[in-house]
Amino acid sequence: MSAKPLLRTSLIILSLGLGLCLAQAWGRPADSAPLRVIGFPYPPFMLVDERSKPAGPMVELVAEAFRRMGQPVRIELLPLPRALLQVETGEAGALFSVKKTPEREAKYLFSSEPVLFQHYVIFVASESTLAFRGDLNELAMASIGVVGGTSYGAIFDAAARQGVFKKLEMSSSHEANFRKLLAHRMDAVVCSRAVGVEILRQLQATRRVKISGPAIETTRSFVMFNKAVATPQLVSRFDQAVREMRREGMQGVHSKLRKYD
């Protein structure tokens, strides 16, 4: 073999190796294929707009973070059970926004930076005498609506595991729970305050439901990544992008989230 073909072959191998190293360093494939990122309908934070496109301040925040990373993404909103399944199987690379639990942390990568803070409260019918004063044992015999696959924060989740609640009623969505509450088919609904208020507004039922007592807990939610699809380097870069956005003074999409605090 002459020197020129040998040199050409060596350069090709070197270029391929360099491309692979850069891809690994940046935590994404060399061809920068879009990462499929899944959310779920969760108004006012995530919703489908009039054009059937994902919208809301959480969608904007996640999209902006990935844009700053230079990582192309395809964001979709699916029902939560389906979204959880797709990130589990690797059909989706990431899911936003969910809470950390020991079971999830054993299986997935999580962003270190929280992307959403929520106050979880108890909703009851306006005429209800059910009173929550901060002790979850007060709700032991109440029928309480929850959504399957959802974490309500460490305090509520621990009480549920310990069997404090005798009548937890599982539904497929928060809206379904509020419809049951309005139809007097359950005593209470546990939900993020902002989400519950928005759902009741959409149902034109804000005067028919009230919040009972203080917040159970203020929780933090994160982006959850499938380990087989996303690398620790990519997650680290996502955290860096979110930190940069916060250092800019909570402007833009962060300011839209703050009004729900």
Side-chain angles (χ1 to χ4, degrees):
M1 179 180 290
S2 66
K4 288 186 177 179
L6 181 60
L7 177 60
R8 189 181 302 113
T9 302
S10 299
L11 288 174
I12 291 172
I13 293 173
L14 179 61
S15 297
L16 289 173
L18 180 59
L20 179 60
C21 289
L22 288 173
Q24 291 174 339
W26 284 98
R28 64 176 185 268
D31 61 359
S32 294
L35 181 70
R36 192 158 174 261
V37 179
I38 303 294
F40 49 93
Y42 198 56
F45 304 116
M46 298 177 269
L47 58 139
V48 177
D49 66 16
E50 62 278 1
R51 300 170 300 164
S52 299
K53 301 291 186 182
M58 273 304 310
V59 174
E60 294 178 30
L61 185 151
V62 170
E64 173 64 13
F66 280 111
R67 186 195 68 78
R68 292 179 180 223
M69 293 163 55
Q71 171 64 56
V73 292
R74 187 168 79 251
I75 295 178
E76 301 174 34
L77 298 185
L78 300 174
L80 180 57
R82 187 176 166 197
L84 287 165
L85 178 61
Q86 291 207 359
V87 77
E88 180 179 357
T89 61
E91 292 180 68
L95 171 65
F96 69 99
S97 60
V98 293
K99 297 169 197 68
K100 293 181 181 180
T101 65
E103 296 79 12
R104 288 173 177 170
E105 289 189 275
K107 294 174 59 177
Y108 302 100
L109 296 173
F110 274 87
S111 62
S112 297
E113 292 293 325
V115 293
L116 181 62
F117 296 83
Q118 298 178 87
H119 310 292
Y120 275 86
V121 297
I122 298 296
F123 290 87
V124 298
S126 295
E127 66 275 14
S128 174
T129 58
L130 181 64
F132 172 62
R133 301 177 181 83
D135 182 358
L136 290 175
N137 289 288
E138 297 167 328
L139 306 175
M141 300 309 299
S143 56
I144 305 172
V146 295
V147 176
T150 296
S151 169
Y152 291 92
I155 295 174
F156 188 92
D157 290 357
R161 285 194 302 271
Q162 293 162 10
V164 169
F165 311 112
K166 310 306 179 186
K167 301 178 183 178
L168 287 182
E169 297 192 15
M170 204 79 67
S171 294
S172 60
S173 70
H174 297 286
E175 181 179 338
N177 279 330
F178 278 103
R179 289 187 182 277
K180 290 179 182 179
L181 180 64
L182 291 167
H184 304 290
R185 291 168 54 194
M186 60 177 53
D187 299 321
V189 170
V190 57
C191 189
S192 160
R193 182 174 66 197
V195 173
V197 168
E198 176 60 19
I199 290 173
L200 290 168
R201 186 192 67 79
Q202 293 179 4
L203 295 175
Q204 299 182 342
T206 54
R207 295 186 179 182
R208 296 174 57 192
V209 174
K210 65 183 179 182
I211 294 172
S212 180
I216 301 168
E217 185 178 0
T218 299
T219 67
R220 303 185 301 164
S221 295
F222 304 81
V223 178
M224 184 172 77
F225 296 83
N226 182 295
K227 291 181 178 180
V229 179
T231 64
Q233 292 92 337
L234 185 142
V235 179
S236 178
R237 289 170 51 235
F238 179 86
D239 285 327
Q240 181 181 351
V242 173
R243 283 193 295 270
E244 288 175 356
M245 293 166 70
R246 289 207 169 98
R247 280 199 297 267
E248 291 171 5
M250 300 293 287
Q251 298 300 313
V253 293
H254 278 290
S255 64
K256 295 179 183 179
L257 288 168
R258 288 182 67 191
K259 70 179 181 180
Y260 300 113
D261 289 348

